[in-house]
Amino acid sequence: MKIPSLKKTAISTVALICSLSAGFASASESDPAAYELMQQVKFRADGDSRKSDITMTLTSKDGFERVRHITMLETDEGQDSKSMVYVSQPADVAGTGVMLHAYEEASDRDDDIWIYIPAMKKVKRLSSKNKRGRFVSSEMSFADLERLQLQDFRYQLDGNEVINGVSTARITGEAANDNTVFKTGYTRKVSWVDPVRHLIIKEEYFDEQGHHIKTMSADTIELIDGFWTVTSLHVKNVQTGDVTQLKLNSIDYNLPVKDAQFSMVALKRGL
């Protein structure tokens, strides 16, 4: 499960980018050890394709819960990848679909994201700024759904730490350029990486002002069909107290897929 932002005004975003850009460094300045670990995370063994059934629970700080049922289909094509995310329940968001095309970093292309809004019967391609928007009102943005782009951050290894009994490497990623901040809303991410299973166990996100806004934590990890798989995780907004939990109900690896399953027609039809 790779699923695994707060919207700002264009004026404040541009102003902040101008003030911060002088301090940004390129991803090529990453600590080699930290960069290698993040590469291992990105390219860890997880089959050539995956189809998963997921329950997403949104819990407000006062305990009110909303539940979404999601199906996700993913396929790898070399260093490119395609994903389809489809919401089947509840009624107010049923039929919502998201299609992502991620390109190899050498292409220097931003990932493409399209969203189908059933109430409008319309497909919309998300601009870089709109990727900060919240996915079906969760604590996950559309940018969070994208595949890890190593070139977006400059990584430094900050030592080792035990998280929930797991020995991890603590890696700080600083935004490599103003485009990273513009499309993700993050100036910094701190990741705790399991160097054996090549999984991110915990990750903290910091906004344009440098404030800690949310934390992702992997709660359970299982070996399924020979692949280490995060079977539950949660994202907590540390400013509002709201929590999004993802529970993997089932997953199939290396199933046959067709190009037609990642088309505009498929986006409208659903999985």
Side-chain angles (χ1 to χ4, degrees):
M1 180 168 55
K2 293 185 179 178
I3 294 190
S5 55
L6 303 176
K7 290 185 176 180
K8 303 292 182 182
T9 64
I11 294 175
S12 64
T13 299
V14 172
L16 188 64
I17 285 172
C18 290
S19 67
L20 293 177
S21 59
F24 293 144
S26 69
S28 62
E29 296 178 30
S30 291
D31 170 14
Y35 189 83
E36 182 179 359
L37 278 172
M38 297 306 293
Q39 271 192 316
Q40 291 171 344
V41 169
K42 179 173 181 175
F43 297 112
R44 69 183 179 84
D46 59 359
D48 294 326
S49 62
R50 300 156 294 280
K51 185 175 183 179
S52 49
D53 177 73
I54 299 163
T55 299
M56 172 186 282
T57 303
L58 316 181
T59 306
S60 65
K61 65 178 180 180
D62 58 7
F64 178 71
E65 288 190 353
R66 291 171 291 167
V67 179
R68 282 92 167 85
H69 293 285
I70 297 170
T71 302
M72 187 170 187
L73 180 67
E74 306 167 273
T75 185
D76 299 327
E77 300 177 354
Q79 291 193 27
D80 292 355
S81 67
K82 297 178 180 178
S83 304
M84 188 77 77
V85 183
Y86 180 73
V87 183
S88 58
Q89 293 181 36
D92 62 331
V93 289
T96 301
V98 180
M99 182 167 64
L100 304 93
H101 287 186
Y103 306 103
E104 66 172 313
E105 300 203 27
S107 70
D108 202 30
R109 295 176 63 182
D110 281 340
D111 292 352
D112 286 320
I113 302 182
W114 297 268
I115 180 171
Y116 175 64
I117 305 169
M120 300 175 63
K121 296 184 178 180
K122 183 178 180 180
V123 174
K124 177 182 178 182
R125 183 180 182 275
L126 295 186
S127 66
S128 292
K129 181 186 175 184
N130 285 338
K131 292 179 182 180
R132 301 182 184 195
R134 297 171 66 182
F135 172 60
V136 290
S137 302
S138 73
E139 295 307 319
M140 302 180 68
S141 68
F142 290 99
D144 294 335
L145 300 179
E146 290 187 305
R147 191 178 188 185
L148 175 64
Q149 291 293 323
L150 299 173
Q151 63 189 1
D152 284 346
F153 292 87
R154 177 192 62 185
Y155 300 103
Q156 296 295 324
L157 187 60
D158 294 329
N160 302 306
E161 191 172 338
V162 176
I163 302 292
N164 296 329
V166 178
S167 296
T168 68
R170 186 179 188 273
I171 296 174
T172 297
E174 301 283 352
N177 51 57
D178 53 4
N179 185 53
T180 296
V181 180
F182 187 72
K183 70 181 181 180
T184 68
Y186 307 136
T187 54
R188 179 161 54 106
K189 294 196 296 184
V190 181
S191 308
W192 285 261
V193 176
D194 179 344
V196 176
R197 295 177 291 188
H198 305 144
L199 292 169
I200 295 176
I201 304 298
K202 176 181 174 182
E203 194 160 55
E204 295 180 347
Y205 302 80
F206 296 80
D207 66 13
E208 294 147 312
Q209 288 76 36
H211 300 146
H212 180 199
I213 52 173
K214 61 186 179 184
T215 299
M216 183 283 293
S217 299
D219 300 315
T220 59
I221 300 170
E222 300 176 35
L223 189 63
I224 300 176
D225 295 337
F227 302 109
W228 287 110
T229 307
V230 177
T231 53
S232 68
L233 64 81
H234 71 275
V235 181
K236 181 174 183 179
N237 187 314
V238 299
Q239 298 181 353
T240 66
D242 295 343
V243 176
T244 294
Q245 174 129 24
L246 297 177
K247 182 180 184 299
L248 183 65
N249 302 313
S250 65
I251 186 166
D252 294 311
Y253 286 102
N254 290 325
L255 70 168
V257 296
K258 300 178 180 179
D259 286 342
Q261 292 175 278
F262 300 92
S263 65
M264 295 299 172
V265 172
L267 179 60
K268 296 177 182 179
R269 183 181 62 239
L271 295 171

